Amino acid sequence: MSAGSRLPVRAVLTGRGFRRYLLGQLTSNIGTWMQRAAQDLLVLDLTGGSGSAVGTVTALQFLPQTLFGLTGGVLADRYPRRRLLLLTQSAMGAQSLLLGVLTVTGQGNLWSVHALAFALGTATAVDGPARNAYICELVAREGVATAVSLNSAQFNVARCLGPALAGPTVAAVGTGPVFLVNAASYLAVLYGLITIRTDGADPPGERGRPRPGRTRPRDAFRHIATTPELLVPVVLIAFVGTFGLNFQVTLSLVAITAFHTGAAAFGWLSAAYALGSLAGALHGASRGRRPTVRRLAVTTVVFGALEAALGLMPGYGTFAALLIPTGFAAVTVTTTANALTQLHADPHLRGRVLSVYLLVLLGGTPVGAPLAGMVADAFGARSTLLLGGVVSACSALALPVLRPLSAAAAVVSTARPASGGSSSVNGFIPDLSGGGPETRPGPDRRSGPADGHE
């Protein structure tokens, strides 16, 4: 198999462990997306349709990613990932159960939603790096890009089914039962984790048994700074995640305040976006080429243009129709960035590198979500889509600026060899981490002492 190719979908799905992981995640994520939609509708009901209130709850749910995301990466590299996932998934199930009980019994209020959203975000911050890095314990290295796309596909199947099921369910029985259904859905992923046996890409010493030594977050930043294939997606996703991917806020606002529809119509908008996302994920999984930085930049420009165009759509039908290609482009951006990160991260640093990736992808939401809510309250819900699309496209167009900046920094670093940092990697990105473990001597990023353990 050539260096630029990857395993097809059928070959990746032959692994029983990955299949169980995928089915468990699919079941749980359907419940999770049902809860997300129901939670937004609950907050709108409690506050009389406040966009800022929805943005605040969303920010509280993602704030722990900013506060504890790097800690989650350290834990993912320090402890067996499957055991860590059993703990985090159990905690998230307990949060859903408590929220459901409070809502069904009439004891829920906005403050309880705030507290439980923060608790869910804390568990998710620890869960994310371990869950993403765990994929490399289930498939061969040639199958990582395909596995990432398949994982994105199941996520978007859930995103499609979850809100579509949540809307009619909330209309029929209220939000409380939806939260209880989500709590039950975690049993599927827990069963899968308990019965999985890993046999993937990482060497046997790395599967479920972390390498002994110190696990420091700064080593991940050094690795990213000295690896262009990591630096570019991290920088790009920082802008896209903060400004462009706030659909969990904007879709509910557009449905309720711009089109004056209800829960069911909001569910169909979410389903349209998820349908496009699913198509994008399946398309990515079926492609025979590995992801590249150039493809990531081009798809980000396309996504930004489509999102900005959404803000100009005059009616519900045209808006819903354009959500499909927008979802296609959005998931292509995120799966390409995720696959680049997985493929080029050092195995012993993968958890920490992914924690940085998730930090910029999700950690910007505490800024982006309230900003989207405030912009919507001041200028209308459509304006949030215009802002997000313009910022996303411009961030991709500005990527070439990294080259002269990194070249200038490389000259400075080369002029001071005694500082202990490497001058550059392939003459592109200098070591900007300001010290740390010994330098990476060659272009092979999967070997050498850059794992950061002492």
Side-chain angles (χ1 to χ4, degrees):
M1 181 172 292
S2 64
S5 62
R6 63 189 196 185
L7 290 178
V9 172
R10 181 176 299 180
V12 173
L13 290 176
T14 56
R16 185 173 64 176
F18 182 71
R19 287 201 311 272
R20 290 188 177 182
Y21 168 87
L22 208 61
L23 290 174
Q25 289 293 319
L26 173 62
T27 304
S28 179
N29 279 327
I30 290 174
T32 297
W33 278 105
M34 291 181 68
Q35 173 165 318
R36 288 187 181 183
Q39 179 177 276
D40 288 346
L41 295 172
L42 175 62
V43 171
L44 287 172
D45 180 61
L46 291 173
T47 61
S50 171
S52 297
V54 175
T56 299
V57 172
T58 303
L60 285 171
Q61 186 166 322
F62 285 91
L63 178 60
Q65 185 66 51
T66 304
L67 300 177
F68 313 123
L70 296 179
T71 301
V74 170
L75 294 174
D77 284 337
R78 183 175 294 174
Y79 299 106
R81 290 162 186 161
R82 182 167 63 170
R83 295 180 187 176
L84 194 61
L85 290 173
L86 286 169
L87 292 175
T88 56
Q89 294 286 321
S90 298
M92 289 188 279
Q95 182 272 348
S96 300
L97 178 62
L98 181 56
L99 181 59
V101 170
L102 288 175
T103 305
V104 168
T105 58
Q107 302 301 312
N109 53 45
L110 189 59
W111 292 108
S112 64
V113 175
H114 285 172
L116 289 172
F118 186 84
L120 177 62
T122 301
T124 303
V126 179
D127 179 86
R131 178 165 37 83
N132 280 272
Y134 190 56
I135 291 176
C136 290
E137 297 183 24
L138 300 175
V139 299
R141 176 173 172 79
E142 295 79 8
V144 168
T146 301
V148 168
S149 293
L150 287 172
N151 191 48
S152 178
Q154 66 80 16
F155 180 83
N156 286 288
V157 168
R159 176 184 280 178
C160 183
L161 295 177
L165 293 172
T169 304
V170 170
V173 297
T175 55
V178 174
F179 303 142
L180 296 177
V181 168
N182 183 40
S185 72
Y186 283 97
L187 296 175
V189 70
L190 291 174
Y191 171 79
L193 288 170
I194 291 171
T195 58
I196 282 175
R197 292 184 179 180
T198 59
D199 189 25
D202 290 340
E206 296 169 18
R207 291 187 211 133
R209 188 172 57 192
R211 182 174 173 177
R214 297 180 62 185
T215 49
R216 303 175 300 185
R218 69 174 183 175
D219 296 329
F221 287 102
R222 161 187 285 270
H223 186 35
I224 291 169
T226 56
T227 308
E229 294 85 358
L230 295 176
L231 181 63
V232 170
V234 165
V235 170
L236 190 59
I237 288 297
F239 287 96
V240 175
T242 301
F243 298 100
L245 296 177
N246 287 309
F247 291 98
Q248 73 276 6
V249 175
T250 56
L251 291 186
S252 61
L253 290 175
V254 169
I256 302 297
T257 64
F259 296 129
H260 308 289
T261 56
F266 163 61
W268 288 116
L269 287 181
S270 299
Y273 178 80
L275 179 62
S277 300
L278 173 61
L282 293 175
H283 179 261
S286 63
R287 298 188 67 171
R289 293 181 296 171
R290 294 176 65 179
T292 64
V293 170
R294 179 181 179 87
R295 192 174 303 130
L296 174 62
V298 171
T299 54
T300 302
V301 172
V302 173
F303 163 70
L306 288 170
E307 183 176 17
L310 272 176
L312 304 175
M313 291 298 101
Y316 181 88
T318 55
F319 186 89
L322 192 59
L323 273 173
I324 296 175
T326 303
F328 186 102
V331 81
T332 302
V333 171
T334 55
T335 55
T336 302
N338 190 310
L340 281 170
T341 305
Q342 295 262 24
L343 287 169
H344 294 282
D346 188 289
H348 299 303
L349 284 164
R350 186 172 285 124
R352 281 163 285 172
V353 169
L354 285 169
S355 73
V356 176
Y357 171 81
L358 293 173
L359 174 64
V360 300
L361 175 63
L362 305 176
T365 302
V367 176
L371 177 62
M374 289 186 291
V375 170
D377 288 342
F379 304 104
R382 300 171 187 272
S383 58
T384 63
L385 296 166
L386 286 169
L387 174 65
V390 169
V391 172
S392 297
C394 289
S395 65
L397 294 173
L399 282 179
V401 175
L402 284 177
R403 284 186 176 272
L405 289 178
S406 64
V411 172
V412 174
S413 180
T414 305
R416 295 183 298 175
S419 63
S422 61
S423 60
S424 66
V425 176
N426 295 336
F428 184 72
I429 301 294
D431 182 358
L432 304 177
S433 61
E438 56 266 57
T439 61
R440 186 182 306 275
D444 183 6
R445 300 183 182 93
R446 288 185 56 85
S447 61
D451 52 12
H453 295 277
E454 296 181 338

